[in-house]
Every structure is written in C-alpha cells, then in structure tokens.
Amino acid sequence: MKPHDPIYLITSRAVDKCFERFGRKFVGVYGGNCPTRPHSFRAAFRTILGDHKVDPLYIEFWIGHAVPEQQRVYVSKS
C-alpha cells in the first residue's frame, strides 16, 4: 500500500446514499438537505464546540480544516 492509495474502495455518492437512507429511517420525512449527511454532523459538531466557548483554532483543527503552519504547531497535541 502506498501513502496515496485509498483505504476504502467506495464512491462518495454511495456514502451519501447510505446517509440518506439512515436519515429517512431515523429522522423521517425532511425537506432540503439530509440532516444526517456528513457535512451536517460536522456543522453540528462545530456549533456545539463554539457554544461551549472552545477556541476557534482548535475547532478548525478538529474538523479537519487546514490550519496555517505557524498556528498548527500550537494545536498539534500528542
């Protein structure tokens, strides 16, 4: 296995369909975007952390956004 090889051989469309089925099963009928899609979970996670006054730099790091190199040194924890 090489560093850039995918771990799972599945398309993003298949993942979206899985979350859509999950949403219909547990949420029921909904309008607009699926409330159980990965983006919705990330957005909720970010909102909850922000509501609890977590430092925005940590939030960005934890949700996988690129943090500038000079700041990444201070948020990378062992």
Side-chain angles (χ1 to χ4, degrees):
M1 184 172 222
K2 295 188 175 44
H4 298 305
D5 288 349
I7 296 173
Y8 301 103
L9 301 176
I10 189 168
T11 64
S12 61
R13 183 179 169 115
V15 172
D16 289 341
K17 279 303 227 184
C18 181
F19 276 97
E20 185 178 328
R21 284 192 304 274
F22 178 81
R24 291 197 196 290
K25 180 178 179 182
F26 290 98
V27 177
V29 178
Y30 55 85
N33 292 325
C34 177
T36 60
R37 65 193 176 123
H39 175 76
S40 297
F41 287 129
R42 285 180 65 176
F45 180 67
R46 199 228 179 285
T47 299
I48 292 167
L49 292 176
D51 288 349
H52 285 85
K53 308 291 188 244
V54 174
D55 186 319
L57 186 61
Y58 284 100
I59 295 172
E60 293 300 307
F61 180 77
W62 288 335
I63 62 175
H65 287 169
V67 176
E69 180 62 36
Q70 65 273 24
Q71 292 176 324
R72 187 176 313 135
V73 172
Y74 301 108
V75 295
S76 296
K77 303 296 180 191
S78 58

Coordinates of all heavy atoms in Angstrom, one line a residue:
M1 N 0.8 -1.2 0.0 CA 0.0 0.0 0.0 C 0.9 1.2 0.0 O 1.9 1.3 0.7 CB -0.9 0.0 1.2 CG -1.9 1.1 1.3 SD -3.0 0.8 2.7 CE -4.5 1.3 1.8
K2 N 0.5 2.2 -0.8 CA 1.3 3.4 -0.9 C 0.5 4.6 -0.2 O -0.7 4.4 0.1 CB 1.4 3.8 -2.4 CG 2.3 2.8 -3.1 CD 2.6 3.3 -4.5 CE 3.5 2.4 -5.3 NZ 3.3 1.0 -5.2
P3 N 1.2 5.6 0.2 CA 0.6 6.7 1.0 C -0.7 7.3 0.4 O -1.6 7.7 1.1 CB 1.7 7.8 1.1 CG 2.9 7.0 1.0 CD 2.6 5.9 0.0
H4 N -0.8 7.3 -0.9 CA -2.0 7.9 -1.6 C -3.0 6.9 -2.0 O -4.0 7.3 -2.6 CB -1.6 8.8 -2.8 CG -0.6 9.9 -2.4 ND1 -1.0 10.8 -1.4 CD2 0.6 10.2 -2.8 CE1 0.0 11.7 -1.3 NE2 1.0 11.4 -2.1
D5 N -2.8 5.7 -1.7 CA -3.8 4.6 -2.0 C -5.0 4.8 -1.1 O -4.9 5.0 0.1 CB -3.2 3.2 -1.8 CG -2.2 2.9 -2.9 OD1 -2.1 3.6 -3.9 OD2 -1.5 1.9 -2.7
P6 N -6.2 4.6 -1.7 CA -7.5 4.7 -0.9 C -7.6 3.6 0.1 O -7.2 2.4 -0.2 CB -8.6 4.7 -1.9 CG -8.0 4.1 -3.1 CD -6.6 4.4 -3.1
I7 N -8.1 3.8 1.3 CA -8.3 2.8 2.2 C -9.5 2.0 1.9 O -9.5 0.7 2.0 CB -8.4 3.4 3.7 CG1 -7.1 4.1 4.0 CG2 -8.8 2.3 4.7 CD1 -7.2 4.8 5.3
Y8 N -10.6 2.7 1.5 CA -11.8 2.0 1.1 C -12.1 2.3 -0.3 O -12.0 3.4 -0.8 CB -13.0 2.6 2.0 CG -12.8 2.3 3.5 CD1 -12.4 3.4 4.3 CD2 -12.9 1.1 4.0 CE1 -12.1 3.2 5.6 CE2 -12.7 0.9 5.4 CZ -12.3 1.9 6.2 OH -12.1 1.7 7.5
L9 N -12.6 1.3 -1.0 CA -12.9 1.5 -2.4 C -14.5 1.7 -2.5 O -15.2 0.8 -2.8 CB -12.5 0.3 -3.2 CG -11.0 0.0 -3.2 CD1 -10.7 -1.3 -3.9 CD2 -10.2 1.1 -3.8
I10 N -14.9 2.9 -2.3 CA -16.3 3.2 -2.3 C -16.4 4.7 -2.8 O -15.6 5.5 -2.5 CB -17.0 3.0 -0.9 CG1 -18.5 3.2 -1.0 CG2 -16.4 3.9 0.1 CD1 -19.2 2.7 0.2
T11 N -17.5 5.0 -3.5 CA -17.6 6.3 -4.0 C -18.3 7.2 -3.0 O -19.0 6.8 -2.1 CB -18.5 6.3 -5.3 OG1 -19.8 5.9 -5.0 CG2 -17.9 5.4 -6.4
S12 N -18.1 8.5 -3.2 CA -18.8 9.5 -2.3 C -20.3 9.4 -2.5 O -21.0 9.6 -1.5 CB -18.2 10.9 -2.5 OG -18.5 11.3 -3.8
R13 N -20.7 9.1 -3.7 CA -22.1 9.0 -3.9 C -22.8 7.9 -3.1 O -23.9 8.0 -2.6 CB -22.4 8.8 -5.4 CG -23.8 8.7 -5.8 CD -24.0 8.6 -7.3 NE -25.4 8.2 -7.6 CZ -26.2 9.0 -8.4 NH1 -25.7 10.1 -8.8 NH2 -27.4 8.6 -8.6
A14 N -22.0 6.7 -3.0 CA -22.5 5.6 -2.3 C -22.6 6.0 -0.8 O -23.6 5.6 -0.1 CB -21.6 4.4 -2.5
V15 N -21.6 6.7 -0.3 CA -21.7 7.2 1.1 C -22.9 8.1 1.3 O -23.6 7.9 2.3 CB -20.3 7.9 1.5 CG1 -20.4 8.5 2.8 CG2 -19.2 6.9 1.4
D16 N -23.1 9.0 0.4 CA -24.2 9.9 0.5 C -25.5 9.2 0.5 O -26.5 9.5 1.3 CB -24.2 11.0 -0.6 CG -23.1 12.0 -0.5 OD1 -22.6 12.2 0.6 OD2 -22.8 12.6 -1.5
K17 N -25.7 8.2 -0.3 CA -26.9 7.4 -0.3 C -27.1 6.6 1.0 O -28.2 6.5 1.5 CB -26.9 6.4 -1.5 CG -27.2 6.9 -2.8 CD -28.6 7.6 -2.7 CE -29.5 7.2 -3.9 NZ -30.7 7.8 -3.8
C18 N -26.1 6.1 1.6 CA -26.1 5.4 2.8 C -26.6 6.4 3.9 O -27.5 6.0 4.7 CB -24.8 4.9 3.2 SG -24.8 4.0 4.8
F19 N -26.1 7.6 4.0 CA -26.5 8.6 5.0 C -28.0 9.0 4.7 O -28.7 9.3 5.6 CB -25.6 9.8 5.0 CG -24.4 9.6 5.8 CD1 -23.2 9.2 5.3 CD2 -24.4 9.8 7.2 CE1 -22.1 9.1 6.0 CE2 -23.3 9.7 8.0 CZ -22.1 9.3 7.4
E20 N -28.4 9.1 3.4 CA -29.7 9.4 3.1 C -30.7 8.4 3.6 O -31.8 8.7 4.2 CB -29.9 9.6 1.6 CG -31.2 10.1 1.1 CD -31.3 10.3 -0.4 OE1 -30.3 10.6 -1.0 OE2 -32.4 10.1 -0.9
R21 N -30.4 7.1 3.4 CA -31.2 6.0 3.9 C -31.3 6.1 5.5 O -32.4 5.9 6.1 CB -30.7 4.7 3.5 CG -31.0 4.3 2.0 CD -30.8 2.9 1.7 NE -29.4 2.4 2.0 CZ -28.4 2.6 1.2 NH1 -28.5 3.1 0.0 NH2 -27.2 2.2 1.5
F22 N -30.2 6.3 6.1 CA -30.1 6.4 7.5 C -31.0 7.6 8.0 O -31.8 7.5 9.0 CB -28.7 6.7 8.0 CG -28.5 6.9 9.4 CD1 -28.4 5.8 10.3 CD2 -28.3 8.2 10.0 CE1 -28.2 6.0 11.7 CE2 -28.2 8.4 11.3 CZ -28.1 7.3 12.2
G23 N -30.9 8.7 7.3 CA -31.8 9.9 7.6 C -33.2 9.6 7.5 O -34.0 10.0 8.4
R24 N -33.7 8.9 6.5 CA -35.1 8.6 6.3 C -35.6 7.7 7.4 O -36.7 7.8 7.9 CB -35.3 8.1 4.9 CG -35.2 9.1 3.8 CD -35.8 8.6 2.5 NE -35.3 9.4 1.4 CZ -35.6 10.7 1.2 NH1 -36.4 11.3 2.0 NH2 -35.2 11.3 0.1
K25 N -34.7 6.7 7.8 CA -35.1 5.8 8.8 C -35.2 6.4 10.2 O -36.2 6.1 10.9 CB -34.0 4.6 8.8 CG -34.3 3.6 9.9 CD -33.2 2.5 9.8 CE -33.5 1.4 10.8 NZ -32.5 0.4 10.8
F26 N -34.3 7.3 10.6 CA -34.3 7.8 11.9 C -34.9 9.2 12.0 O -35.4 9.5 13.1 CB -32.8 7.8 12.5 CG -32.3 6.4 12.7 CD1 -31.5 5.8 11.8 CD2 -32.7 5.8 13.9 CE1 -31.1 4.5 12.0 CE2 -32.2 4.5 14.1 CZ -31.4 3.8 13.2
V27 N -34.9 10.0 11.0 CA -35.4 11.3 11.1 C -36.8 11.4 10.5 O -37.6 12.2 10.9 CB -34.5 12.3 10.4 CG1 -35.0 13.7 10.4 CG2 -33.1 12.3 11.0
G28 N -37.1 10.5 9.5 CA -38.4 10.6 8.8 C -38.3 11.5 7.6 O -37.3 11.7 7.0
V29 N -39.4 12.1 7.3 CA -39.5 13.0 6.1 C -38.8 14.3 6.5 O -39.1 14.8 7.6 CB -41.0 13.2 5.7 CG1 -41.1 14.2 4.6 CG2 -41.7 11.9 5.4
Y30 N -38.0 14.8 5.6 CA -37.4 16.0 5.8 C -37.3 16.8 4.5 O -37.4 16.2 3.4 CB -35.9 15.9 6.4 CG -35.1 15.0 5.5 CD1 -34.4 15.5 4.4 CD2 -34.9 13.6 5.8 CE1 -33.6 14.6 3.6 CE2 -34.1 12.8 5.0 CZ -33.5 13.3 4.0 OH -32.7 12.5 3.2
G31 N -37.2 18.1 4.6 CA -37.1 18.9 3.4 C -35.7 19.4 3.2 O -35.0 19.6 4.2
G32 N -35.3 19.6 2.0 CA -33.9 20.1 1.8 C -32.9 19.1 1.9 O -33.1 17.9 1.6
N33 N -31.7 19.5 2.4 CA -30.6 18.6 2.6 C -30.8 17.6 3.7 O -31.5 17.8 4.7 CB -29.3 19.3 2.9 CG -28.8 20.2 1.7 OD1 -29.0 19.8 0.6 ND2 -28.3 21.3 2.0
C34 N -30.2 16.4 3.5 CA -30.3 15.3 4.5 C -29.7 15.8 5.9 O -28.5 16.2 5.9 CB -29.6 14.1 4.0 SG -29.7 12.7 5.2
P35 N -30.4 15.7 7.0 CA -29.9 16.2 8.2 C -28.8 15.2 8.8 O -28.2 15.6 9.8 CB -31.1 16.3 9.1 CG -32.1 15.3 8.5 CD -31.8 15.3 7.1
T36 N -28.7 14.1 8.2 CA -27.7 13.1 8.8 C -26.5 13.0 7.8 O -25.7 12.0 7.9 CB -28.3 11.7 9.0 OG1 -28.8 11.2 7.8 CG2 -29.4 11.8 10.0
R37 N -26.3 13.9 6.9 CA -25.2 13.8 6.0 C -23.9 14.2 6.7 O -24.0 14.9 7.7 CB -25.4 14.6 4.7 CG -25.5 16.1 5.0 CD -26.0 16.8 3.7 NE -26.2 18.2 4.1 CZ -25.6 19.2 3.4 NH1 -24.9 19.0 2.4 NH2 -25.7 20.4 3.8
P38 N -22.8 13.8 6.2 CA -21.5 14.1 7.0 C -21.3 15.6 7.2 O -20.9 16.0 8.3 CB -20.4 13.5 6.0 CG -21.1 12.4 5.3 CD -22.5 12.9 5.1
H39 N -21.7 16.4 6.2 CA -21.5 17.9 6.4 C -22.4 18.4 7.6 O -21.9 19.2 8.4 CB -21.8 18.6 5.2 CG -21.8 20.1 5.3 ND1 -20.6 20.8 5.4 CD2 -22.8 21.0 5.5 CE1 -20.9 22.1 5.6 NE2 -22.2 22.2 5.7
S40 N -23.6 17.8 7.7 CA -24.5 18.3 8.8 C -23.9 17.9 10.2 O -24.0 18.7 11.1 CB -25.8 17.6 8.7 OG -26.5 18.1 7.5
F41 N -23.3 16.7 10.3 CA -22.6 16.3 11.5 C -21.5 17.2 11.8 O -21.3 17.6 13.0 CB -22.2 14.8 11.4 CG -23.3 13.8 11.5 CD1 -23.4 12.8 10.6 CD2 -24.3 13.9 12.5 CE1 -24.4 11.9 10.6 CE2 -25.3 13.0 12.6 CZ -25.4 12.0 11.6
R42 N -20.7 17.5 10.8 CA -19.5 18.4 11.1 C -20.0 19.8 11.5 O -19.4 20.4 12.4 CB -18.6 18.5 9.8 CG -17.8 17.3 9.6 CD -17.0 17.5 8.3 NE -16.0 18.6 8.5 CZ -15.1 18.9 7.7 NH1 -15.0 18.2 6.5 NH2 -14.3 19.9 7.9
A43 N -21.0 20.3 10.9 CA -21.6 21.6 11.2 C -22.1 21.6 12.6 O -21.9 22.6 13.4 CB -22.7 22.0 10.2
A44 N -22.8 20.6 13.0 CA -23.3 20.5 14.4 C -22.2 20.4 15.4 O -22.3 21.0 16.4 CB -24.2 19.2 14.5
F45 N -21.2 19.6 15.1 CA -20.0 19.5 15.9 C -19.4 20.9 16.2 O -19.1 21.3 17.3 CB -19.0 18.5 15.3 CG -17.8 18.3 16.1 CD1 -17.8 17.7 17.3 CD2 -16.5 18.7 15.6 CE1 -16.6 17.4 18.1 CE2 -15.4 18.5 16.3 CZ -15.4 17.8 17.6
R46 N -19.2 21.6 15.1 CA -18.6 22.9 15.2 C -19.5 23.9 16.0 O -19.0 24.6 16.8 CB -18.4 23.5 13.7 CG -17.4 24.6 13.7 CD -17.9 25.9 13.0 NE -16.9 26.9 13.1 CZ -16.6 27.7 14.1 NH1 -17.3 27.4 15.3 NH2 -15.8 28.6 14.1
T47 N -20.8 23.8 15.8 CA -21.7 24.7 16.5 C -21.7 24.4 18.0 O -21.6 25.3 18.9 CB -23.2 24.5 16.0 OG1 -23.2 24.9 14.6 CG2 -24.1 25.3 16.8
I48 N -21.7 23.1 18.4 CA -21.7 22.7 19.8 C -20.4 23.1 20.4 O -20.4 23.7 21.6 CB -21.8 21.2 19.9 CG1 -23.3 20.8 19.5 CG2 -21.5 20.7 21.3 CD1 -23.5 19.3 19.3
L49 N -19.2 22.9 19.8 CA -18.0 23.4 20.3 C -17.9 24.9 20.5 O -17.5 25.4 21.5 CB -16.8 22.9 19.5 CG -16.5 21.4 19.4 CD1 -15.4 21.1 18.4 CD2 -16.2 20.9 20.8
G50 N -18.4 25.6 19.5 CA -18.5 27.1 19.6 C -19.4 27.6 20.7 O -19.1 28.5 21.4
D51 N -20.5 26.9 20.9 CA -21.4 27.2 22.0 C -20.8 27.0 23.4 O -21.2 27.7 24.3 CB -22.7 26.4 21.9 CG -23.6 26.8 20.8 OD1 -23.4 27.9 20.1 OD2 -24.6 26.1 20.5
H52 N -19.8 26.1 23.4 CA -19.1 25.9 24.7 C -17.8 26.6 24.8 O -16.9 26.3 25.6 CB -18.9 24.4 24.9 CG -20.2 23.7 25.2 ND1 -21.1 23.2 24.3 CD2 -20.7 23.3 26.4 CE1 -22.1 22.7 24.9 NE2 -21.9 22.7 26.2
K53 N -17.7 27.7 24.0 CA -16.5 28.6 24.0 C -15.2 27.9 23.8 O -14.1 28.4 24.4 CB -16.5 29.3 25.4 CG -17.8 30.0 25.8 CD -18.1 31.2 24.9 CE -19.3 31.9 25.4 NZ -20.5 31.9 24.5
V54 N -15.1 26.9 23.0 CA -13.9 26.3 22.6 C -13.1 27.2 21.6 O -13.8 27.8 20.8 CB -14.1 24.9 21.9 CG1 -12.8 24.3 21.4 CG2 -14.7 23.9 22.9
D55 N -11.9 27.3 21.8 CA -11.1 28.2 20.9 C -11.3 27.8 19.4 O -11.2 26.7 19.0 CB -9.6 28.0 21.3 CG -8.7 29.0 20.5 OD1 -8.9 29.2 19.3 OD2 -7.7 29.4 21.2
P56 N -11.6 28.8 18.6 CA -11.9 28.6 17.2 C -10.8 27.9 16.4 O -11.0 27.1 15.5 CB -12.2 30.0 16.6 CG -12.6 30.8 17.7 CD -11.9 30.2 18.9
L57 N -9.5 28.1 16.8 CA -8.4 27.5 16.2 C -8.4 26.0 16.4 O -8.2 25.2 15.5 CB -7.1 28.1 16.7 CG -5.8 27.6 16.1 CD1 -5.8 27.9 14.6 CD2 -4.6 28.2 16.7
Y58 N -8.8 25.5 17.6 CA -8.9 24.1 17.9 C -10.1 23.5 17.1 O -10.0 22.4 16.6 CB -9.2 23.9 19.4 CG -7.9 24.0 20.3 CD1 -7.7 25.2 21.0 CD2 -7.0 23.0 20.3 CE1 -6.5 25.3 21.8 CE2 -5.8 23.1 21.1 CZ -5.6 24.3 21.8 OH -4.5 24.4 22.6
I59 N -11.2 24.2 17.1 CA -12.3 23.7 16.3 C -11.9 23.5 14.9 O -12.2 22.4 14.3 CB -13.5 24.7 16.4 CG1 -14.0 24.8 17.8 CG2 -14.6 24.3 15.5 CD1 -15.0 25.9 18.0
E60 N -11.3 24.4 14.2 CA -10.9 24.3 12.8 C -10.0 23.1 12.7 O -10.1 22.3 11.7 CB -10.2 25.5 12.3 CG -11.1 26.7 12.2 CD -12.3 26.5 11.3 OE1 -12.0 26.1 10.1 OE2 -13.4 26.7 11.7
F61 N -9.0 22.9 13.6 CA -8.1 21.8 13.6 C -8.9 20.4 13.7 O -8.7 19.5 13.0 CB -7.1 21.9 14.7 CG -6.1 20.8 14.8 CD1 -5.0 20.7 13.9 CD2 -6.2 19.8 15.7 CE1 -4.1 19.7 13.9 CE2 -5.2 18.8 15.8 CZ -4.2 18.8 14.9
W62 N -9.8 20.4 14.7 CA -10.5 19.1 14.9 C -11.5 18.7 13.8 O -11.8 17.6 13.6 CB -11.3 19.2 16.2 CG -10.4 19.2 17.4 CD1 -9.1 18.7 17.5 CD2 -10.7 19.7 18.7 NE1 -8.6 18.8 18.8 CE2 -9.5 19.5 19.5 CE3 -11.7 20.4 19.3 CZ2 -9.5 19.9 20.9 CZ3 -11.7 20.8 20.6 CH2 -10.6 20.5 21.4
I63 N -12.0 19.7 13.1 CA -12.9 19.3 12.0 C -12.2 19.1 10.7 O -12.8 18.9 9.6 CB -14.1 20.3 11.8 CG1 -13.6 21.7 11.5 CG2 -15.0 20.3 13.0 CD1 -14.8 22.7 11.2
G64 N -10.9 19.2 10.7 CA -10.1 18.8 9.6 C -9.8 20.0 8.6 O -9.3 19.7 7.5
H65 N -10.0 21.2 9.0 CA -9.7 22.3 8.1 C -8.2 22.6 8.2 O -7.6 22.3 9.2 CB -10.5 23.6 8.5 CG -11.9 23.5 8.1 ND1 -12.8 24.4 8.6 CD2 -12.6 22.6 7.3 CE1 -14.0 24.1 8.1 NE2 -13.9 23.0 7.3
A66 N -7.7 23.1 7.1 CA -6.3 23.5 7.1 C -6.0 24.6 8.0 O -6.6 25.6 7.9 CB -5.8 23.8 5.7
V67 N -5.1 24.4 8.9 CA -4.7 25.5 9.9 C -3.3 25.9 9.4 O -2.4 25.1 9.1 CB -4.6 24.9 11.3 CG1 -4.1 25.9 12.3 CG2 -5.9 24.4 11.7
P68 N -3.1 27.3 9.3 CA -1.8 27.8 8.9 C -0.6 27.1 9.7 O -0.8 26.9 10.9 CB -1.9 29.3 9.2 CG -3.3 29.6 9.2 CD -4.0 28.3 9.7
E69 N 0.5 26.9 9.0 CA 1.6 26.2 9.6 C 2.1 26.8 10.9 O 2.3 26.1 11.8 CB 2.8 26.1 8.6 CG 4.0 25.4 9.1 CD 3.8 23.9 9.4 OE1 3.0 23.3 8.7 OE2 4.3 23.4 10.4
Q70 N 2.1 28.1 10.9 CA 2.6 28.8 12.1 C 1.7 28.6 13.3 O 2.1 28.6 14.5 CB 2.9 30.3 11.9 CG 1.7 31.1 11.6 CD 1.4 31.1 10.1 OE1 1.7 30.2 9.4 NE2 0.6 32.1 9.7
Q71 N 0.4 28.3 13.1 CA -0.5 28.0 14.2 C -0.7 26.5 14.4 O -1.0 26.1 15.6 CB -1.9 28.6 13.8 CG -1.9 30.1 13.8 CD -3.2 30.7 13.3 OE1 -3.9 30.1 12.5 NE2 -3.6 31.8 13.9
R72 N -0.4 25.7 13.4 CA -0.6 24.2 13.6 C 0.3 23.7 14.7 O 0.0 22.8 15.4 CB -0.3 23.6 12.2 CG -0.6 22.1 12.3 CD -0.4 21.4 10.9 NE -1.0 22.2 9.9 CZ -0.4 22.4 8.7 NH1 0.8 22.0 8.4 NH2 -1.1 23.1 7.8
V73 N 1.5 24.3 14.8 CA 2.5 23.9 15.8 C 1.9 23.9 17.2 O 2.1 23.1 18.0 CB 3.7 24.7 15.7 CG1 4.7 24.4 16.9 CG2 4.4 24.5 14.4
Y74 N 1.0 24.9 17.4 CA 0.5 25.1 18.8 C -0.8 24.4 19.0 O -1.3 24.3 20.2 CB 0.2 26.6 19.0 CG 1.5 27.4 18.8 CD1 1.7 28.2 17.7 CD2 2.5 27.4 19.7 CE1 2.8 29.0 17.5 CE2 3.6 28.1 19.6 CZ 3.8 28.9 18.5 OH 5.0 29.6 18.3
V75 N -1.4 23.8 18.0 CA -2.6 23.0 18.2 C -2.4 21.5 18.0 O -3.3 20.7 18.4 CB -3.8 23.4 17.3 CG1 -4.2 24.8 17.7 CG2 -3.5 23.3 15.9
S76 N -1.3 21.1 17.5 CA -1.0 19.6 17.4 C -0.6 19.1 18.8 O 0.4 19.5 19.4 CB 0.2 19.4 16.4 OG -0.2 19.8 15.2
K77 N -1.4 18.2 19.3 CA -1.2 17.6 20.6 C -0.9 16.2 20.5 O -1.3 15.5 19.6 CB -2.5 17.8 21.5 CG -2.9 19.3 21.6 CD -1.9 20.1 22.3 CE -2.4 21.5 22.5 NZ -1.3 22.4 22.9
S78 N -0.1 15.7 21.5 CA 0.2 14.3 21.5 C -0.9 13.5 22.2 O -1.8 14.0 22.8 CB 1.5 14.0 22.2 OG 1.4 14.5 23.6

